[in-house]
Amino acid sequence: MADALSLLRQFTIENREYTTENDRFVFNDLAYPKDVKTNYLVYGTGKDNTSKDYYTLESIVFLLKNVELQHANYVKKAAEKGIPAISRPDRKDLLSYLQGQTATADRVDKNAPLDITMQRPLQINKRPAEDPRLDAPKFARVEDDDMQKLKDRREKKFDEKNKELGADQIRPLSGELSTEAILKLRAKFRATTRDKIVDFKENEDTPEPSTEPLPITADTFEIMKRERTWRNRTTVLQSSNKNFAKDILSILNSIKAKEESEQKQEQLAAQRSPIRDITTRAPVEGYSRYNQEKFVPRDESEFKIDTHASYHGLTLKTVTEGATPNKFLSAANPSIPKPIVAANDKLHPTSTDTSKRPSRTPIIIIPAALTSLITRYNCKELLEDLKYISTEDGKASGTKRDGDILIQRKKGNLTVPYRITDDPLRLSKQDWDERVVAVFAQGPAWQFKGWPMGGNPVEVFQKIKAYHIKWAQLKTDTNIAKWSVHLIELDQNKRHLDCARIRTFWDSLDQFIAKNKSALRY
């Protein structure tokens, strides 16, 4: 059953007429009292612990009939009639809702009190009072006559279907069930069946149920206004026989056990990660010119000075660099072996301390050109804080970015270091083979000049994961489109999207390291 406000809105949109009769608004066969309250909330009520108030149907109808008046004149006219006026803040939204311009209104309270939501309209009975069918005693008597006729018709049909059969029409089934026994059983069955209720499905025997609603008078309407719902959506959820504490506690315990197991695994992983023990490192000795003698085996009894040595024919460079003393020393002491240096090691000098543990920190190479979106001035904010800043802003911050840059990536409860460099020619052969994991390509092929593998980008990208950062609004570089490069597109005006885009870089890099260089920390 539609409420008064929805019914008024329907009649207003469809341009149907409704009348006023005996302090009631009549909508065809339904009627509402004028002072009945709708579920449209009055502006300013229901806030700050104040009680809610709702407009009456009479106030809303009066607004519709005087909508062409200015608000001041409308309020004055409503006061003269003794009708509560609609406030100015509610006027525009209410008219838009009633005229169908909007599907709903903010002030329509869907949680209105029960005495508003459960109110029912009065049904107007338009049949004339002189109709003889309204005579209650006569109507009951006619109903009794119909029931008697229906009963007689059913008995007649029953008698036709269950006629008495003669003995000559029945033959015995066996020696125990003779003809007389069958007739006795049939008479007993008919006697018991007559008393039972037989449900005939024929349309002429069963009256059709009435679909018309029962009429509601003024007395029943007052009674129904005082009705209260015994069970609502709140009381239904309250169970007095079922205890959910056991099920909920079991779920919470399982979640707690899962979180504790994850914390233990992270602690074990942190303990297994190699950490250098700086307490056992041998102390660094200061310089002493007498320490040179312990590396030169010589006889303490004599100095063994080569009196035939000369600097004749040597250049100034060989003399100043100390090549001549080594030559003399090797000539004077042939027992000292000369170090053997491979051809590849000349380009990538390594430390002679073989006991030193190799580093497990991954290396990421960025372009040295300041025209790239990632440079040494903003790589720390981009890869560590997951937020892009321009190179000019990075320079203006005043932070010195000399040499290689060490960033700390937060991964769960752990912090993993990464080394960022823009000078790949300083890297050793061991760094290229074991530690270099990613490179940010700018576009031109000359960026890889002097790199291992002949500086061919195709061969470099097979062993190192390649990335390229560009603006999403600009066209992709031709070389980048041809190479196997992972694109990271940033929006020029939406900095809040940087975090999600940079996370794709870390996710793909973790997969690459786990597959190709799992010995590193990542």
Side-chain angles (χ1 to χ4, degrees), residues 12-42:
T12 304
I13 295 175
E14 297 176 359
N15 199 15
R16 296 162 59 185
E17 295 183 358
Y18 50 90
T19 60
T20 304
E21 180 181 332
N22 297 330
D23 295 334
R24 293 183 301 180
F25 291 107
V26 181
F27 302 90
N28 288 345
D29 296 341
L30 304 177
Y32 279 98
K34 289 185 177 181
D35 57 349
V36 66
K37 288 193 175 183
T38 64
N39 59 345
Y40 201 89
L41 195 63
V42 178

Side-chain angles (χ1 to χ4, degrees), residues 20 60 63 179 208 247 299 309 312 345 355 360 402 444 463:
T20 304
I60 299 178
L63 175 63
T179 303
E208 296 182 357
D247 299 335
D299 190 0
H312 179 71
D345 294 342
S355 62
R360 297 175 62 244
D402 298 334
K463 296 183 179 181

Side-chain angles (χ1 to χ4, degrees), residues 102-170:
T102 58
T104 183
D106 296 338
R107 308 299 298 175
V108 175
D109 190 4
K110 297 181 180 180
N111 300 322
L114 293 176
D115 55 350
I116 294 179
T117 57
M118 296 299 293
Q119 60 190 1
R120 300 185 182 182
L122 301 176
Q123 186 168 359
I124 305 300
N125 196 343
K126 294 187 177 181
R127 292 182 297 184
E130 61 273 6
D131 193 343
R133 289 180 295 177
L134 294 179
D135 191 357
K138 189 173 182 180
F139 182 77
R141 180 173 57 79
V142 172
E143 184 179 7
D144 293 340
D145 294 342
D146 293 340
M147 293 299 294
Q148 184 63 32
K149 290 179 181 179
L150 180 61
K151 185 176 180 181
D152 295 340
R153 191 182 302 173
R154 288 183 177 178
E155 289 181 355
K156 184 178 180 181
K157 282 193 175 185
F158 178 78
D159 294 338
E160 291 177 356
K161 293 181 180 179
N162 298 276
K163 291 181 179 180
E164 289 290 343
L165 300 178
D168 55 347
Q169 297 178 354
I170 300 176

Side-chain angles (χ1 to χ4, degrees), residues 218-363:
D219 297 334
T220 57
F221 178 72
E222 293 297 329
I223 295 174
M224 295 174 70
K225 282 181 61 175
R226 294 178 174 85
E227 289 182 354
R228 295 294 182 268
T229 304
W230 176 247
R231 303 197 69 179
N232 52 25
R233 62 182 181 182
T234 303
T235 58
V236 166
L237 297 177
Q238 295 175 355
S239 176
S240 59
N241 299 327
K242 181 67 175 177
N243 186 11
F244 298 97
K246 183 178 179 181
D247 299 335
I248 295 176
L249 289 177
S250 61
I251 296 174
L252 294 178
N253 291 332
S254 62
I255 295 174
K256 183 179 179 182
K258 183 179 180 181
E259 292 178 352
E260 291 178 352
S261 62
E262 292 178 354
Q263 292 179 359
K264 289 182 180 179
Q265 291 178 0
E266 292 177 357
Q267 292 176 0
L268 292 176
Q271 293 176 0
R272 291 175 183 174
S273 59
I275 301 176
R276 295 184 180 181
D277 189 3
I278 60 175
T279 58
T280 59
R281 182 181 297 177
V284 181
E285 297 181 358
Y287 171 77
S288 177
R289 65 188 185 93
Y290 298 104
N291 289 338
Q292 303 177 16
E293 299 177 357
K294 63 182 179 181
F295 298 103
V296 183
R298 63 187 181 86
D299 190 0
E300 298 294 338
S301 60
E302 55 182 350
F303 291 101
K304 295 183 179 180
I305 300 175
D306 188 3
T307 58
H308 300 283
S310 174
Y311 289 105
H312 179 71
L314 299 179
T315 61
L316 179 61
K317 182 178 180 181
T318 56
V319 174
T320 55
E321 290 182 354
T324 303
N326 292 336
K327 180 179 179 180
F328 294 158
L329 183 60
S330 60
N333 299 279
S335 60
I336 301 177
K338 295 182 179 180
I340 300 175
V341 181
N344 295 334
D345 294 342
K346 292 181 180 179
L347 298 176
H348 307 285
T350 57
S351 175
T352 57
D353 188 4
T354 57
S355 62
K356 184 178 179 181
R357 181 180 298 176
S359 176
R360 297 175 62 244
T361 302
I363 298 177

